[in-house]
Amino acid sequence: MVRELVKTWSSTWSSKDTSAASRFYSKAPDLVFFDIGPTHLGWEQYQKNIEKSFDTIENLDLTLNEDLRVVVGDGMALTTATGHISYRMKNNENFESDIRFTGVWENKGGQWRLIHDHWSRSR
């Protein structure tokens, strides 16, 4: 179940639809999310900052590789994967990088939500 959830969640980022992505995140204000760039405190800040970034991007492609690992324990899950991100900015600059992703998921009331994620560029 968590594996399919991660695949659906990652597709929301390629669509640049933060409202769709929002359903995968806990809304607790003290949670920390590490993006490829800045650190965000709480989903509200994360969403606001990402929407500003998306305003400068025309095409975004985020793909997770088949190496997705899922470890599920007592109401929690840890997910890790590598992948690739590429996008073209409105000023025609291109960005492309291999990435690493780590997500910590919590299950409350049968709903899995990210309580932490960390994106970084691979070298």
Side-chain angles (χ1 to χ4, degrees):
M1 164 136 184
V2 174
R3 182 173 296 278
E4 290 305 314
L5 184 68
V6 170
K7 289 179 181 180
T8 302
W9 159 82
S10 68
S11 70
T12 64
W13 287 116
S14 287
S15 72
K16 300 190 319 181
D17 183 353
T18 61
S19 294
S22 179
R23 71 183 176 105
F24 296 98
Y25 285 84
S26 170
K27 304 310 182 285
D30 59 341
L31 299 176
V32 177
F33 303 100
F34 297 111
D35 196 4
I36 290 175
T39 299
H40 311 280
L41 186 59
W43 169 251
E44 187 176 307
Q45 184 185 75
Y46 194 0
Q47 184 176 22
K48 181 180 172 185
N49 290 342
I50 292 298
E51 285 176 351
K52 285 181 189 176
S53 294
F54 285 169
D55 285 344
T56 66
I57 294 173
E58 286 189 1
N59 295 327
L60 172 67
D61 182 41
L62 170 67
T63 306
L64 293 182
N65 295 329
E66 294 298 316
D67 63 352
L68 173 64
R69 295 193 57 169
V70 178
V71 178
V72 179
D74 189 26
M76 303 285 286
L78 172 68
T79 56
T80 61
T82 60
H84 191 82
I85 187 170
S86 61
Y87 55 83
R88 186 177 72 243
M89 299 180 71
K90 290 182 179 178
N91 66 4
N92 286 326
E93 289 182 35
N94 293 314
F95 174 85
E96 192 165 338
S97 181
D98 291 327
I99 56 169
R100 294 182 191 103
F101 167 76
T102 302
V104 179
W105 300 76
E106 180 179 47
N107 188 330
K108 281 191 174 177
Q111 299 293 315
W112 287 100
R113 299 287 185 258
L114 277 162
I115 60 171
H116 175 76
D117 71 7
H118 187 140
W119 297 85
S120 60
R121 293 176 68 177
S122 297
R123 302 279 182 236

